[in-house]
Amino acid sequence: MKLDSKIPDGPLAQKWEKHKFNLKLVNPANKRKYEIIVVGTGLAGASAAASLAELGYNVKAFCFQDSPRRAHSIAAQGGINAAKNYQNDGDSVFRLFYDTIKGGDYRAREANVYRLAEVSVNIIDQCVAQGVPFAREYGGLLANRSFGGAQVSRTFYARGQTGQQLLLGAYSALSRQVAAGKVKLYPRTEMLDLVVVDGKARGIVTRNLITGKIESHSAHAVLLCTGGYSNVFFLSTNAMGSNASAIWRAHKKGALFANPCFTQIHPTCIPVSGDYQSKLTLMSESLRNDGRVWVPKKAGDKRPPQDIPEDERDYFLERKYPSFGNLVPRDVASRNVKYVCDEGRGVGETGLAVYLDFADAIKRDGEKVISAKYGNLFDMYEKIMGTSPYKQPMMIYPAVHYTMGGLWVDYNLMTTIPGCYALGEANFSDHGANRLGASALMQGLADGYFIIPYTIGDYLATIGWSDKVPADHPAFKEAEANVKQQIDTLLGMKNGKKTVDQFHKELGYMMWDYCGMSRNAEGLKTAKKKIQELREEYWTNLKTTGINEELNITLEKALRVADFMELGELMIDDALAREESCGGHFREEYQTPDGEALRNDEKFCHVAAWEYKGKDQPEVRHQEELIFENVKLTQRSYK
């Protein structure tokens, strides 16, 4: 299969403007004749649905939450990047582009990343116009702070609740279109299949989570904006409901899945405290602006932090990476936290934690200033851990947070299924092997507000408004029947011995142990065999309860975990095939003498895109070669 990325010709800085001019247009009168489905109402989905409806298209928006305001985008705390250079500290569109390419360890497309940096400046203006309450400096300009992987301050923020405020802005825009009748909202509704007719995406099959009703929805195009798949690890910073079913069902209908093993471990999370936990809590990366990461110099030192003198502390990130200090990228910070804990220098009861200490910042700036920056985060930590970060250091440890992999898309954000698009974290396009902090919100809003409104018109103008398949087409009926059959199979499993959560935990522990912060060939092969055995047991020993025609959370989870198991196996295959270390993908066999990721640009400077070939058939690995004309491929260094 030839992967045509549709990257336009010409100089990097002119590609997007040139491409927009060359795209086909749909005139305003004809826009009213098209129907578009948007699945997911987080930042990417809400911004896309609102923008497309504003243009005149008729939009159906689906979310499994009771309100779009509960999308997981709300949990992003620290900020959103943009190359405004308000600080006059040397930032520019090209520097944001370069930092993102370098931060992703040179495994992302230049053209996509430059476009992201280019439109970032427009995102801030859009959100300010919507009333998003970004922090401001004394003189009235928007304030900025630093994030990992950058030596400039380019992260705009609304205290420690940036994602929430941005989502409220997008939700307001979406609500306006709902009131205008241009968006029809379907809450508590989950997509369970993508319908493809004559090779094109024609609609979706859904289940009403309250009544169990299975329905078909037809449209000219389908946008998947459903986030990432971190919950394949069971414990992650994602909301418990976050899942991969929409993109996985699309994958099984022909959409290639790119770089599934590229998952991000966030270094600043509250440590695991027991088997009873169902999710982990993120402490924003913004805290690393003022918090200093350290452990005792001696292994086994269990003294309280206040009893360990300064000369017996190891500020290991500052020691190893003096140019960036505590603000190295997430993959670098996470691996180094793991190293010191593996040496026996971790803190807390389990030894799987390090300190994030604000004593110096409080002494320098005062408690009032620190509270203004991070007050809600400090309060959250104290409620969970029972100690005040104003008085004692936080304890943190890495946890699964974000997935750089996702459905393969071209420059127009279209998957390998014509008419099916993937936006935000659901696609693979912009972050390579590691995402820089504060870039997730940037990508979601860029895709929804500023990219898809241009690029979708090119496809719609090509097919014409009359090219729409009705929801009673045999392909929809077949998809409905397949969904019902899977539901009936799961609900018929009343005599199993294990719950869906037990299976999910087992899968998650396997993924974390063998495909987490570090991987090796032997472990990955072991994991593949274990997951295959677990999948087989799942369909013979799962115990489900209830019926379809009701709110049935067990059934919801059972459907999602079945997809997670298949996806987990593909992640293992991808990690095993990529014989190099890059970003968040750290193969222990491939590292520098000082423990940094060692890429193999000669063999693996490409995107790996996997094609589903049928049940129990091995997937086929395709490659999209990455060409770098504007940056030099070098060993990443943050020293």
Side-chain angles (χ1 to χ4, degrees), residues 40 191 293 389 416 516:
M191 170 185 159
V293 178
T416 46

Side-chain angles (χ1 to χ4, degrees), residues 273 302 346-353 395:
S273 56
K302 295 300 182 182
V347 302
E349 290 184 15
T350 64
L352 295 177
M395 286 195 295

Side-chain angles (χ1 to χ4, degrees), residues 359-374:
D360 288 351
I362 292 172
K363 184 178 179 180
R364 180 185 69 239
D365 297 331
E367 190 172 307
K368 186 176 180 181
V369 171
I370 298 302
S371 176
K373 289 182 178 179
Y374 313 115

Side-chain angles (χ1 to χ4, degrees), residues 116 173 422 516:
L116 178 63

